[in-house]
Amino acid sequence: MAVLRPFSKLPELNSAVLLLVGSEGDFQQKLAEAILQEKKDFTVNVHIATSLPLPSERDHLRPQIDMIVFMIDIKNKYSLKNVEDSLAYVDAKFFLGKVCFLVTGVGRVNCCSVDMNAVWKLGENYCSPVLFCELELEGTRVATAQRLLRMLQICAGYVPGVSALYFSTLMTTFSS
Amino acid sequence: MDETVAEYIRRTVLKIPRDEIKTMLQKWGFLSEAQLQTINFHQMKDNISQDVVQLCEENSASIKQAAVLDIIYNHSYPNKRIWSVYQMNKTEEETDFFDLTDFRKKFKRQLRSTLKNVTINFREYENNAVWIRIAWGTPYTKPNQYKTSYVVYHSQTPYAFISLSVLKSNLPLLCQALVVASNYQDIHEMELRSHSLNSLEDMVFKRYSQNFETYCPRPLQESTVAQETAGLRIVQEDINEKERILRVNREAFGDGPQPKLEFAEYKLETMFTSDPKLEVLDKKEPFRCMVRFHSPHLLESLKSLAPAGMADAPLSPLLTCIPHKARNYFKIREKKGLFPGSFVSP
């Protein structure tokens, strides 16, 4: 099945799965490693993909995905188009707090070629928070990894009293 | 010695990087070893050049020797000029034996018959390459040694690399002299320009590593298990797609280093097609548009576009055909009915 659904599989005990969708492979790998290096009390699996839909051969092996992060590179118009095309393959129930847009490369403002209004609109239309980060520097990479890990923890239900939907409404009301 | 010659030699020496001055003067061979020993090559370049000029005065250098020094400098640093590629052709199949003295005589005679005030110098290098340096004057003024053009003619091939760097009006004279001297019939420009002379030669003589189409049946889908980084829990979902992109890229560009070009220019001359009811253009004129790609190393950056996730693979054939067709200036016209596949004009 091509569309990703949030609750179609049984969850594993004490683990969470993050899916990074974006077109620049190197930074995705580095971000994934930074996330895995953080201290946490549940196991984290990170899946990296360039675009959706995911190859169907591995459907049966893939665990349930708790959070999807769409990565948009501010220097690369192609990455925005890639993300927009991939959004069609995500089930609507994911957008209740389990999706987040990550805009990378913000350190190089003079190479910006993505329209910021388009990104804001994307976040509004899909009711998901938009985060900004810079993955080339170690410090901000670690900070971003910590934020994403916290969000993953909430999305997978390991923070009692806070649901993914509640958290995402907090995030979106802050930014608008 | 003439003052202009002294000044010219001084300025040429100033252009050379300090560490290379000694070797270049040795290659020049005009100053003896003993004379070179007297120069201190660790002082400031200004002083070195003054010393060299003084020694040249003792040896009474003429403009001919100064020109040879200039040729040696440009042979070592050809990338400071822009080179265009020209191809000559002739109808008879017979290949004449190439005689350098004959070539020089004919070239000088032809050029001087139209314009008396030129300085012409020749130097032969390996691979049958003849370097010709021409300093241009006008019918009323002496040749200006700072306004030079260079021609690199490979005598066993119909190709010549010309770096004009002066008024374009001298180009027909130069081409005519070249054609007459080398016993060809006519010459035309190949729409290929770059700073890097070596890369142009590589492209024209097909010396870069080309990718020959080999029949490669699709590899068996051995493991549909996505790659798992050992120990860590990162799963690459798209490993097949990534491999496909690398394979397609390798097919388009080959494995070795690419020739170095700085730009590619595409001129569009097609008709604007729109809803006829809109009547956007009254006259049916072709729509003119020019797209120019600039890069320090154009082909390498094109090669890395798809793996970096910035473009689809395979790239447009308009971009990948640059080394095969040996050109970087294109004119795109309308698709004609008779030749549906090719719409890039030669």
Side-chain angles (χ1 to χ4, degrees), chain A residues 23-24 29 32-33 36 44-51 54-55 57-58 62 76 78, chain B residues 224-226 228-229 232-238 240-242 307-312:
Chain A
S23 54
E24 355 103 66
Q29 180 79 17
E33 285 166 12
L36 291 170
V44 173
N45 279 312
V46 182
H47 287 237
I48 298 178
T50 338
S51 65
L54 297 175
E57 303 95 50
R58 296 205 61 245
R62 205 175 293 124
N76 185 359
Y78 187 71
Chain B
T224 47
V225 177
E228 289 205 16
T229 319
L232 298 179
R233 295 162 167 281
I234 303 177
V235 175
Q236 295 272 6
E237 296 277 349
D238 278 341
N240 287 338
E241 179 64 16
K242 285 201 167 75
M310 293 208 199
D312 274 327

Side-chain angles (χ1 to χ4, degrees), chain B residues 3-259:
Chain B
E3 257 196 31
T4 47
V5 175
E7 181 61 18
Y8 186 66
I9 295 181
R10 192 184 74 84
R11 289 212 196 164
T12 312
V13 173
L14 278 177
K15 279 199 285 194
I16 310 172
R18 190 160 64 162
D19 306 328
E20 302 287 318
I21 297 182
K22 184 159 186 195
T23 27
M24 223 165 266
L25 289 177
Q26 280 168 336
K27 267 191 226 168
W28 189 28
F30 180 64
L31 301 173
S32 68
E33 250 327 297
Q35 284 175 310
L36 286 179
Q37 298 288 353
T38 62
I39 306 178
N40 172 16
F41 288 102
H42 296 291
Q43 55 185 332
M44 279 190 7
K45 270 207 320 196
D46 263 339
N47 300 336
I48 299 180
S49 58
Q50 298 283 13
D51 288 347
V52 171
V53 168
Q54 215 162 359
L55 289 173
C56 292
E57 285 246 13
E58 290 171 21
N59 290 11
S60 327
S62 70
I63 194 62
K64 189 161 186 267
Q65 278 87 30
V68 170
L69 182 62
D70 190 38
I71 297 186
I72 294 176
Y73 169 72
N74 276 291
H75 176 78
S76 306
Y77 299 99
N79 301 345
K80 303 242 185 238
R81 306 177 79 103
I82 293 196
W83 299 88
S84 319
V85 187
Y86 287 76
Q87 187 180 11
M88 299 188 278
N89 38 18
K90 58 180 169 193
T91 45
E92 314 101 46
E93 277 308 317
E94 44 164 289
T95 40
D96 305 323
F97 175 67
F98 178 76
D99 184 15
L100 183 60
T101 28
D102 192 41
F103 176 80
R104 287 158 74 140
K105 218 165 48 176
K106 282 194 189 161
F107 188 86
K108 284 190 183 168
R109 194 171 56 205
Q110 178 65 33
L111 200 53
R112 290 227 164 95
S113 68
T114 31
L115 186 61
K116 286 227 170 20
N117 289 325
V118 282
T119 319
I120 310 174
N121 296 86
F122 298 81
R123 195 167 166 92
E124 208 182 6
Y125 280 97
E126 71 279 345
N127 297 338
N128 298 314
V130 179
W131 279 63
I132 312 173
R133 173 187 178 275
I134 303 130
W136 301 97
T138 68
Y140 311 105
T141 59
K142 273 174 45 167
N144 182 349
Q145 298 302 327
Y146 300 96
K147 286 203 163 86
T148 52
S149 305
Y150 273 86
V151 178
V152 178
Y153 171 54
H154 287 255
S155 51
Q156 302 301 326
T157 72
Y159 297 106
F161 303 89
I162 301 184
S163 165
L164 202 55
S165 80
V166 280
L167 297 171
K168 297 274 186 325
S169 55
N170 291 322
L171 185 60
L173 297 175
L174 183 56
C175 290
Q176 192 180 23
L178 198 57
V179 164
V180 165
S182 51
N183 294 324
Y184 278 89
Q185 306 243 288
D186 65 78
I187 184 171
H188 68 271
E189 197 178 349
M190 267 179 75
E191 307 285 354
L192 180 60
R193 257 159 260 171
S194 171
H195 276 283
S196 166
L197 181 62
N198 289 335
S199 295
L200 288 178
E201 288 174 356
D202 283 345
M203 277 173 67
V204 165
F205 302 138
K206 306 275 184 229
R207 288 198 297 232
Y208 62 98
S209 75
Q210 304 174 72
N211 207 40
F212 295 103
E213 290 197 28
T214 52
Y215 176 60
C216 211
R218 229 164 222 293
L220 293 170
Q221 294 281 8
E222 294 168 353
S223 54
T224 47
V225 177
Q227 180 195 42
E228 289 205 16
T229 319
L232 298 179
R233 295 162 167 281
I234 303 177
V235 175
Q236 295 272 6
E237 296 277 349
D238 278 341
I239 198 78
N240 287 338
E241 179 64 16
K242 285 201 167 75
E243 276 173 7
R244 183 196 75 94
I245 290 178
L246 284 179
R247 197 188 64 232
V248 164
N249 221 35
R250 199 181 298 139
E251 275 168 25
F253 288 99
D255 275 327
Q258 302 288 317

